[in-house]
Amino acid sequence: MPRGFGHGGPWWHTRFRGAGFRITVPRQAILEVLSKTQKHLSAEDVYMAVHRICPTVGLTTVYRTLELLVDMGLVFKFDFGDGRARYELALGPKGERHHHHLVCTNCGRVIDYTEFIDDEIELLQQTEKGLSKKYNFDITHHLIQFYGLCDKCKGR
Amino acid sequence: MPRGFGHGGPWWHTRFRGAGFRITVPRQAILEVLSKTQKHLSAEDVYMAVHRICPTVGLTTVYRTLELLVDMGLVFKFDFGDGRARYELALGPKGERHHHHLVCTNCGRVIDYTEFIDDEIELLQQTEKGLSKKYNFDITHHLIQFYGLCDKCKGR
DNA sequence: CTCCTTATTGAAAATGGTTTCCATTATCAA
DNA sequence: TTGATAATGGAAACCATTTTCAATAAGGAG
Ligand SMILES: [Mn+2]
Ligand SMILES: [Mn+2]
Ligand SMILES: [Zn+2]
Ligand SMILES: [Zn+2]
């Protein structure tokens, strides 16, 4: 378990204490799992991975913790259309990691992309401004996903 | 019931016959319901509305028909995060009606918007082209949703 | 360090939207 | 009109997620 920098433990300890949440074994294990992958894990995926570190952690706790992390803004929750929610750490060790998704409608593969984000962001901010004004809406975030067939699935 | 043009019945009859699907009472009722609203109906919403026209239609048939219509491209299926799928006719009587959504994370209200679509579409096509090339992906469609608080919900 | 409050946990049961089963019905080509 | 079979509907199954509740453990007070 990578402890590490500063003196108080991992970076998110401060967030937890600040919000009055306890730092528990299950929570540490779940965050460890999330921080060690680039994949978009389902609750069950997280559960199975956590199980290897700490077999006593229950699926219920995984769901609860993921919800907490989403509420805290530490984790993003996505729906790629396969009937289960997917989770992903919001910020990597290198800071923010905003990106959008490319989803294969055949095999379910999900690709993160960031290369066109800059242009998109610019347009999005314009659009958000226009929409906010017109509909008197406070926009907090957006979702952009492209659907289609990945290279492996397009051949047939 | 808007019958209408040509001689064979509503516009979608041709699509059905062409695909070898039968034109049944439940299917007619469901399409009638969908074509008479601008809302984003859940399967249960459709079921209840259909029930008024034709009380014998079952919820199972509603689900089956909606799936069929989605597969045929006549209906769009969305997930606005409230745990149930939402359906919307893909094309109104005036033809295509592509639009994106503004979703209130507090009350669940969904607003269609089309006014910034043109700029978005242009950027999206660029992005799609770039992504297709880079990831060798065949992009068929996209999803764009803005989340936030609607005017009624932002006051507090 | 020990105690105490109570946030957190895990197992089991409940929930709720959606799908599957299957015997019955109704569409439509011949 | 008739027959093959696509379509239907009610009940049961499915399955991701949530709720319940008694047991546990985090962490501040002393
Ligand atoms: Mn991602
Ligand atoms: Mn819409
Ligand atoms: Zn694929
Ligand atoms: Zn609202």
Side-chain angles (χ1 to χ4, degrees):
Chain A
M1 319 116 192
R3 267 306 134 42
F5 38 115
H7 44 69
W11 56 275
W12 52 271
H13 278 201
T14 336
R15 289 290 308 271
F16 266 66
R17 295 201 205 283
F21 296 127
R22 294 181 180 174
I23 291 161
T24 68
V25 171
R27 287 173 178 172
Q28 305 201 61
I30 290 166
L31 274 158
E32 188 173 327
V33 164
L34 287 175
S35 61
K36 279 187 176 161
T37 186
Q38 291 273 78
K39 295 181 191 156
H40 304 86
L41 303 178
S42 66
E44 181 108 28
D45 291 337
V46 174
Y47 171 68
M48 291 187 299
V50 164
H51 197 269
R52 273 172 240 126
I53 306 173
C54 186
T56 61
V57 176
L59 180 56
T60 304
T61 297
V62 171
Y63 272 108
R64 265 190 302 235
T65 303
L66 288 172
E67 186 187 12
L68 178 70
L69 295 172
V70 169
D71 288 346
M72 292 177 74
L74 299 183
V75 163
F76 291 136
K77 180 180 184 178
F78 291 103
D79 165 43
F80 296 127
D82 65 339
R84 63 192 61 195
R86 301 274 165 179
Y87 301 86
E88 187 179 25
L89 217 49
L91 20 77
K94 312 174 182 183
E96 297 296 330
R97 202 165 70 83
H98 186 82
H99 61 270
H100 294 159
H101 295 117
L102 214 48
V103 182
C104 177
T105 48
N106 184 248
C107 70
R109 190 149 71 104
V110 176
I111 295 177
D112 290 346
Y113 73 88
T114 51
E115 39 278 296
F116 305 93
I117 287 286
D118 290 342
D119 297 316
E120 284 180 21
I121 296 297
E122 193 180 316
L123 174 78
L124 287 175
Q125 283 177 341
Q126 258 179 263
T127 309
E128 283 184 18
K129 183 173 286 187
L131 288 171
S132 298
K133 183 162 294 180
K134 170 147 188 179
Y135 295 105
N136 195 25
F137 223 91
D138 257 357
I139 294 176
T140 55
H141 58 291
H142 58 253
L143 172 69
I144 296 194
Q145 289 173 192
F146 287 96
Y147 294 92
L149 293 176
C150 74
D151 55 348
K152 290 173 189 163
C153 294
K154 72 199 303 192
R156 53 145 301 169
Chain B
M1 321 117 196
R3 266 306 134 41
F5 36 117
H7 44 68
W11 56 275
W12 52 271
H13 278 201
T14 336
R15 288 290 307 272
F16 267 66
R17 294 200 205 285
F21 296 128
R22 294 180 180 175
I23 291 160
T24 67
V25 171
R27 287 173 178 172
Q28 306 199 64
I30 289 166
L31 274 158
E32 186 172 328
V33 163
L34 288 174
S35 62
K36 278 187 176 161
T37 186
Q38 292 273 80
K39 294 181 192 156
H40 304 87
L41 303 178
S42 66
E44 181 107 28
D45 291 336
V46 174
Y47 171 68
M48 291 188 298
V50 164
H51 197 269
R52 273 173 241 126
I53 304 174
C54 186
T56 62
V57 176
L59 181 55
T60 304
T61 298
V62 171
Y63 273 108
R64 265 189 304 237
T65 303
L66 288 172
E67 186 187 11
L68 179 70
L69 294 173
V70 169
D71 288 346
M72 292 178 73
L74 298 183
V75 163
F76 291 136
K77 180 181 184 177
F78 291 103
D79 166 44
F80 296 127
D82 66 339
R84 63 192 60 192
R86 300 274 167 179
Y87 302 86
E88 186 180 26
L89 217 50
L91 19 77
K94 312 175 182 182
E96 297 296 330
R97 202 166 69 82
H98 186 82
H99 62 270
H100 294 160
H101 294 117
L102 214 47
V103 182
C104 177
T105 49
N106 184 248
C107 70
R109 191 150 70 107
V110 176
I111 296 177
D112 291 346
Y113 73 88
T114 51
E115 40 278 296
F116 305 94
I117 287 286
D118 290 341
D119 298 316
E120 285 180 20
I121 295 297
E122 193 179 316
L123 173 77
L124 288 175
Q125 283 176 341
Q126 257 179 265
T127 308
E128 284 185 16
K129 184 173 284 184
L131 288 171
S132 298
K133 183 162 292 178
K134 170 146 188 181
Y135 296 105
N136 196 25
F137 223 92
D138 257 358
I139 294 176
T140 55
H141 58 289
H142 58 253
L143 172 69
I144 296 192
Q145 288 173 193
F146 287 96
Y147 294 91
L149 294 176
C150 75
D151 55 349
K152 291 172 189 163
C153 294
K154 72 197 307 193
R156 55 144 296 164

